[in-house]
Each structure stands twice: as C-alpha cells, then as structure tokens.
Amino acid sequence: MAFELPELPFAMDALAPHISRRTLEFHYGKHHQAYVNNLNKGVEGTDMEGMSLEDVIMAAEGGLFNNAAQTWNHTFYWNSMTPDGGGEPGGDLGDAIGSAFGSYDAFRQEFTQAAMTQFGSGWAWLVDDGSGLSVMKTPNADLPMKHSAKALLTVDVWEHAYYLDYQNARATYVDTFMDHLVNWDSVAARMG
Ligand code: MN
C-alpha cells in the first residue's frame, strides 16, 4: 500500500498569524505532498515496497532516503506545533528540561542557536540521545533516527518553512515557533 500524506493536526489557518494559510498551502500541500509522491515512486517495484516508513529511512540512500526522511520529518514537524502553543512547559517535562539544560531559558537559547546556525537547509531537534535530553541539528533531510537518537521536537529551518511569512528573518520565525507554536503536550507524550 502506498504511503499517503497524513492529515494536518490543525486547520490550514489555525497557526496564523505566526504561520499563514499560504505557507501551509505550499509547505504541506506542495512540498510535503511531493516528498510523499517521490517516495512512492522510489519504492515502487523494489524490495522496499510495503516496508514501514521508518524501515525505508533506515535502509535507503540518496534520493529515496531524502524523500522518505522528508516525508517523516514534515509529519513530525506538524505534530510539533499547535495553535496557542509555545512558552515554558510545566510539569514533569518542565522539570526534565530544567535538569538537562539548567533552565528553560538555557534550553531555549541552545535550541534557537542550533536552528540559527544550521547553515542552509535543515532541522533543529530536541532529542533523547540515550543518555538524556539534548539538542541537535541536521542538514537537508537528515534526522535523529540515523544517529541513534529519539526525536522529541523539531523546527524546520528550510527557507520554504518561513520565507513567505518572514522572508529571510529566520530568527524571528524561530522565536515565534518557541513562543507561540511548540506543542509541549506532544513532546511530553513522546517522552512517555
Ligand atoms: Mn519543510
């Protein structure tokens, strides 16, 4: 069975004014859809047809890896955001971030720094690297599962994620993501 573009977990205009309907029409409707379409073309007729997305990501290389990983990364990114999200998390998650990074502000600074210093296209992540919480950044389609880390949160810093709304101001987009969009409930659920 072919891979399908999953439903967005919110309405197309639900993240406005931080991320506009127009950005989502292109980013979800065109870019994410294209990754899914190219993934399906890439596995068709190969021994990867019928594999789970994660198995394809771990087995594939080159263009097929890029399309499989980008399919996964974008679904993960949509689920990293929610209307009226962001800010400092409370509860056990807030305690875990405080223990790992010293404070929420220190985490926020490290995550933002990763997002800002990813040269060109890529992703910044909060992960569980096996020894605890840490921040990482990956270029292009690369992702934590290729580095034996479990993804907990991501922000897409490809220009297509922010250029329509913020032009070249990646810092404003990342600040907005942190302060208004992070879905901490989904992060907490992933930590289990
Ligand atoms: Mn993207």
Side-chain angles (χ1 to χ4, degrees):
M1 180 170 150
F3 294 104
E4 291 183 5
L5 183 69
E7 295 270 332
L8 274 181
F10 36 72
M12 290 285 256
D13 56 2
L15 302 185
H18 310 302
I19 292 179
S20 65
R21 168 186 283 272
R22 185 161 170 77
T23 289
L24 289 174
E25 284 171 352
F26 280 89
H27 196 185
Y28 169 75
K30 305 289 187 190
H31 291 277
H32 196 181
Q33 180 71 68
Y35 295 129
V36 173
N37 293 347
N38 289 329
L39 166 63
N40 282 320
K41 281 183 211 147
V43 298
E44 193 178 347
T46 77
D47 58 5
M48 290 190 220
E49 196 169 7
M51 279 188 183
S52 71
L53 180 56
E54 289 78 6
D55 286 346
V56 173
I57 289 169
M58 296 308 288
E61 295 178 356
L64 181 56
F65 167 77
N66 287 336
N67 284 294
Q70 285 293 78
T71 294
W72 191 96
N73 288 343
H74 283 86
T75 300
F76 194 87
Y77 170 59
W78 310 133
N79 286 291
S80 290
M81 296 188 290
T82 189
D84 301 316
E88 184 172 350
D92 292 345
L93 175 57
D95 292 345
I97 287 175
S99 304
F101 297 95
S103 66
Y104 170 75
D105 287 344
F107 157 73
R108 190 189 183 292
Q109 186 172 359
E110 188 173 336
F111 187 89
T112 302
Q113 180 77 2
M116 289 305 298
T117 58
Q118 174 52 48
F119 184 78
S121 296
W123 303 82
W125 307 85
L126 172 66
V127 302
D128 182 339
D129 64 15
S131 59
L133 299 182
S134 64
V135 165
M136 67 186 292
K137 58 185 176 181
T138 58
N140 300 315
D142 193 19
L143 71 175
M145 73 176 75
K146 280 284 201 182
H147 306 273
S148 304
K150 179 184 178 182
L152 299 172
L153 173 71
T154 197
V155 63
D156 185 346
V157 294
W158 285 57
E159 284 186 347
H160 67 218
Y162 59 88
Y163 221 84
L164 289 174
D165 293 324
Y166 298 90
Q167 288 74 56
N168 62 330
R170 187 189 288 192
T172 309
Y173 158 68
V174 174
D175 281 343
T176 300
F177 177 87
M178 298 307 296
D179 295 337
H180 298 285
L181 294 173
V182 175
N183 186 342
W184 288 119
D185 288 342
S186 73
V187 177
R190 286 176 194 125
M191 289 177 69

